[in-house]
Amino acid sequence: MDGAKEFGIKNVSSDCSISEMDDYDLSRLLDKPRLNIERQRSFDERSMSELSVGIARGLEHLDVYSPGGRSGLDTPASSARNSFEPHPMVNEAWEALRRSLVYFRGQPVGTIAAYDHASEEVLNYDQVFVRDFVPSALAFLMNGEPDIVKNFLLKTLHLQGWEKRIDRFKLGEGAMPASFKVLHDPVRKSDTLIADFGESAIGRVAPVDSGFWWIILLRAYTKSTGDLSLAETPECQKGMRLILTLCLSEGFDTFPTLLCADGCSMIDRRMGFQVFLMVWSAKKTERKDKRVMGFAKYQGIYGYPIEIQALFFMALRCALAMLKQDAEGKECIERIVKRLHALSYHMRSYFWLDFQQLNDIYRYKTEEYSHTAVNKFNVIPDSIPDWVFDFMPTRGGYFIGNVSPARMDFRWFALGNCVAILSSLATPEQSMAIMDLLESRWEELVGEMPLKISYPAIENHEWRIVTGCDPKNTRWSYHNGGSWPEIVLLWLLTAACIKTGRPQIARRAIDLAESRLLKDGWPEYYDGTLGRFVGKQARKYQTWSIAGYLVAKMMLEDPSHLGMISLEEDKQMKPLIRRSSSWTC
């Protein structure tokens, strides 16, 4: 496993284009675009040195990042070299992050979800979650400590090979665990791994996103270290193929998006509804007013959630750069390319919402038949919630939460939109529009603690129907409009801001977070319309809050870190064709 092989990914630096990473000729698929945007040029257009100037306050001399080098946020030598004083929170954050390390047979293999001694119930917060470890992994990679990331990738890959059963049903071979735990036996002096593939999760739902995060992290490790041998091993190649086989299998679905159940990703609670509930309510009340129609406002996570579709798209593109062109890999590559074209067209056309598109949907006719239909999903215009009309600015837009026949979830979901920018699922124009929306609706989406994971909150009767009266997802709390400074802001949002040439947005948001996070004990999330209150069930010393903060700070210090988690636009993807172009009324 030492050294780069002759076949496969070429040795690259952290800021080269992804198309240079594989001997497979990806130049046809992943050409570097030339953006034509009036407001500001994006990260992809500018040189690293140009973008670095003026991003962080007081940083006049920035060293270009090199794989394996240590960041300036951990060592006195680096701080002296860059001639700036790091924020007092940085050292505290590194100490807290290292306290969360989990060891298996003497080797670090991950970080626990939370290190909250004050909490009486541990639940599963003492486990290593795949999605939660990603910001920790990026922090260690940016700090020149890749061993723990490599150990994690190999250990979770080993767990993928386990037989996975829930009751009497066997899960797909490629499923990755949601989390794992290390049990130490001091008597026998042995360590044992226990993995959770959904059999212990809330609702017993297998994690769809774990496999995607694993592929994305494998690429980040390769880009950061230049260690090509890991991704090229037969075990990693097989692991990627198994994950993608689960997603690329053909069935009855007419859409290229992935059909998902509630609770299959970060939003691990029921946030959707069943159609029979709406029909039953209509019969019960014998009314056809906004109250009954209101149930159709929030489709929720069940169906085709934006978070999963964006991660799916990004994982496909990452795998495309790392898979070998052997017999098995070539077949998988061909399927990936076809799916990427279909998926990008579908998402850019049907999930995108801006002022013009909202106006078009508002004027839709229903019950259209044949391939010439404009309202292809038979969306009922009266089901558009009132808040959308006030929320949508003239300039700006976003990918809505969910789309399926006769239903659209118009809510904002931050994670999916940020990943859409980083993966280039969003076009350059759409990426800028998302940032325009964020700036225009700062009070609603950011408030006093960035960033709303979803907006707006579900309340009253809709909350009872949609969430099943979930006491954790009350209005403006947890995943129902809660503010999550770690999952989105402190690395994904910062990365998206840098890529779109808006680092000032990230700086403004991080300044807000720095005023509270350490003082409040690194909470998991905040509650309230403005995010003013520590979440009522939020754990303290949440590892992803700590790691997300460090990653955001290091990316602002050295924007070349962005290369680990950002993909350039693929010009071969079919251009966006707006449905409104065929509107004739």
Side-chain angles (χ1 to χ4, degrees):
M1 294 177 60
D2 295 331
K5 296 182 180 180
E6 293 297 324
F7 184 81
I9 307 173
K10 291 186 175 70
N11 199 347
V12 295
S13 64
S14 63
D15 58 344
C16 72
S17 68
I18 191 172
S19 60
E20 298 172 354
M21 291 184 62
D22 203 282
D23 276 348
Y24 176 59
D25 183 12
L26 297 177
S27 60
R28 297 175 293 109
L29 303 173
L30 301 170
D31 290 339
K32 183 174 181 180
R34 293 183 180 274
L35 308 185
N36 183 19
I37 300 172
E38 294 181 2
R39 181 160 180 167
Q40 291 191 40
R41 290 175 296 165
S42 76
F43 170 84
D44 292 335
E45 288 185 284
R46 290 174 283 180
S47 67
M48 212 69 67
S49 58
E50 179 187 351
L51 187 63
S52 297
V53 175
I55 283 187
R57 298 176 182 173
L59 300 184
E60 297 180 357
H61 304 286
L62 293 178
D63 292 339
V64 177
Y65 174 77
S66 61
R70 298 180 66 86
S71 167
L73 295 180
D74 191 35
T75 62
S78 295
S79 296
R81 183 182 67 240
N82 287 322
S83 65
F84 78 102
E85 289 294 330
H87 194 281
M89 283 177 57
V90 170
N91 290 333
E92 295 277 355
W94 274 113
E95 291 177 6
L97 181 60
R98 297 192 190 284
R99 283 197 300 269
S100 70
L101 285 171
V102 174
Y103 291 84
F104 179 76
R105 297 175 183 174
Q107 297 293 323
V109 293
T111 52
I112 59 174
Y115 198 78
D116 188 357
H117 292 297
S119 178
E120 296 179 357
E121 287 185 304
V122 176
L123 297 177
N124 56 357
Y125 282 83
D126 62 343
Q127 298 186 21
V128 180
F129 281 80
V130 174
R131 82 174 68 92
D132 297 6
F133 179 67
V134 172
S136 297
L138 294 175
F140 286 118
L141 287 175
M142 293 177 185
N143 202 48
E145 303 177 62
D147 289 346
I148 182 177
V149 181
K150 184 175 182 179
N151 293 340
F152 170 85
L153 290 168
L154 291 174
K155 196 56 60 182
T156 46
L157 183 63
H158 171 71
L159 295 174
Q160 184 194 42
W162 288 11
E163 183 178 88
K164 302 167 277 285
R165 288 185 179 273
I166 298 181
D167 293 333
R168 297 184 179 182
F169 185 74
K170 184 178 179 181
L171 273 67
E173 187 179 2
M176 280 286 188
S179 63
F180 65 87
K181 184 176 182 178
V182 179
L183 291 182
H184 301 283
D185 188 337
V187 177
R188 298 183 179 180
K189 296 182 179 180
S190 63
D191 292 341
T192 305
L193 284 176
I194 298 179
D196 178 14
F197 290 91
E199 66 270 26
S200 300
I202 298 172
R204 301 300 185 266
V205 180
V208 176
D209 62 340
S210 288
F212 300 153
W213 282 121
W214 187 88
I215 292 175
I216 293 168
L217 184 57
L218 178 61
R219 176 196 177 267
Y221 171 87
T222 302
K223 291 280 284 184
S224 173
T225 65
D227 179 10
L228 317 177
S229 59
L230 179 61
E232 292 182 342
T233 60
E235 292 80 11
C236 284
Q237 292 286 309
K238 180 181 178 181
M240 284 188 285
R241 291 196 303 269
L242 288 176
I243 293 169
L244 297 178
T245 297
L246 289 176
C247 309
L248 296 174
S249 57
E250 297 177 351
F252 291 100
D253 208 327
T254 56
F255 311 130
T257 43
L258 282 181
L259 179 63
C260 303
D262 274 325
C264 67
S265 59
M266 177 205 162
I267 299 181
D268 59 357
R269 298 296 185 100
R270 172 180 166 189
M271 290 287 283
F273 66 91
Q274 303 299 325
V275 178
F276 73 85
L277 289 174
M278 182 177 69
V279 176
W280 179 86
S281 297
K283 289 182 178 179
K284 195 76 175 178
T285 61
E286 294 184 355
R287 295 175 62 187
K288 202 172 183 181
D289 58 10
K290 285 267 184 180
R291 180 185 175 197
V292 175
M293 293 301 295
F295 299 149
K297 295 179 186 177
Y298 303 113
Q299 180 177 336
I301 302 307
Y302 180 85
Y304 307 91
I306 177 60
E307 174 184 337
I308 291 296
Q309 313 314 321
L311 287 172
F312 179 36
F313 183 86
M314 189 166 190
L316 287 175
R317 293 199 62 195
C318 289
L320 188 64
M322 294 186 291
L323 284 171
K324 293 182 179 180
Q325 270 207 104
D326 52 20
E328 295 173 306
K330 188 174 182 179
E331 179 183 357
C332 192
I333 288 171
E334 292 175 354
R335 296 173 68 186
I336 289 174
V337 171
K338 292 179 180 178
R339 190 60 165 265
L340 281 173
H341 281 276
L343 184 60
S344 62
Y345 174 80
H346 183 90
M347 297 298 297
R348 293 169 181 175
S349 299
Y350 305 124
F351 274 67
W352 180 252
L353 187 72
D354 55 20
F355 185 86
Q356 182 60 51
Q357 185 69 1
L358 178 61
N359 202 163
D360 292 343
I361 296 174
Y362 176 71
R363 291 167 49 82
Y364 270 168
K365 295 179 180 178
T366 59
E367 307 299 328
E368 292 182 300
Y369 180 76
S370 86
H371 66 279
T372 60
V374 175
N375 186 1
K376 295 183 179 180
F377 293 92
N378 197 34
V379 176
I380 311 299
D382 287 340
S383 70
I384 303 175
D386 293 337
W387 64 265
V388 177
F389 296 101
D390 296 327
F391 178 73
M392 180 62 68
T394 305
R395 179 175 183 146
Y398 64 104
F399 289 97
I400 63 175
N402 216 319
V403 176
S404 65
R407 292 184 289 177
M408 299 180 79
D409 184 349
F410 288 90
R411 281 177 297 173
W412 153 274
F413 286 87
L415 181 56
N417 277 273
C418 287
V419 173
I421 291 175
L422 294 177
S423 65
S424 289
L425 171 60
T427 65
E429 294 78 12
Q430 288 173 338
S431 296
M432 290 298 181
I434 293 172
M435 288 296 152
D436 288 338
L437 174 80
L438 190 61
E439 287 188 298
S440 299
R441 297 294 177 257
W442 186 267
E443 190 74 8
E444 293 89 341
L445 300 179
V446 180
E448 295 184 19
M449 178 53 66
L451 178 70
K452 292 294 181 190
I453 191 64
S454 62
Y455 180 88
I458 305 172
E459 305 181 67
N460 304 321
H461 191 63
E462 288 172 345
W463 167 78
R464 289 189 284 273
I465 295 297
V466 173
T467 72
C469 298
D470 185 355
K472 195 169 185 177
N473 267 326
T474 54
R475 63 177 185 174
W476 305 113
S477 181
Y478 198 53
H479 293 146
N480 186 16
S483 299
W484 294 71
E486 69 293 327
I487 280 292
V488 179
L489 165 69
L490 294 179
W491 71 281
L492 281 177
L493 179 62
T494 300
C497 290
I498 294 174
K499 183 175 182 180
T500 55
R502 311 272 188 97
Q504 72 280 3
I505 298 179
R507 168 55 61 192
R508 181 183 176 189
I510 288 175
D511 286 345
L512 285 174
E514 286 180 335
S515 67
R516 292 283 305 274
L517 281 179
L518 181 60
K519 181 178 65 176
D520 293 338
W522 304 99
E524 183 180 7
Y525 61 93
Y526 287 79
D527 288 354
T529 55
L530 297 177
R532 296 178 61 190
F533 304 98
V534 174
K536 58 184 176 180
Q537 296 188 40
R539 296 303 175 100
K540 296 293 186 72
Y541 292 94
Q542 187 78 17
T543 303
W544 60 24
S545 297
I546 298 165
Y549 170 73
L550 290 171
V551 171
K553 295 289 283 187
M554 284 188 279
M555 276 196 291
L556 284 177
E557 175 200 349
D558 185 352
S560 66
H561 289 308
L562 181 66
M564 294 187 212
I565 52 175
S566 176
L567 299 170
E568 297 174 3
E569 184 190 16
D570 181 357
K571 295 177 68 174
Q572 293 298 318
M573 298 294 180
K574 290 184 178 180
L576 176 68
I577 301 177
R578 303 185 62 84
R579 286 175 288 175
S580 58
S581 62
S582 59
W583 185 257
T584 56
C585 291

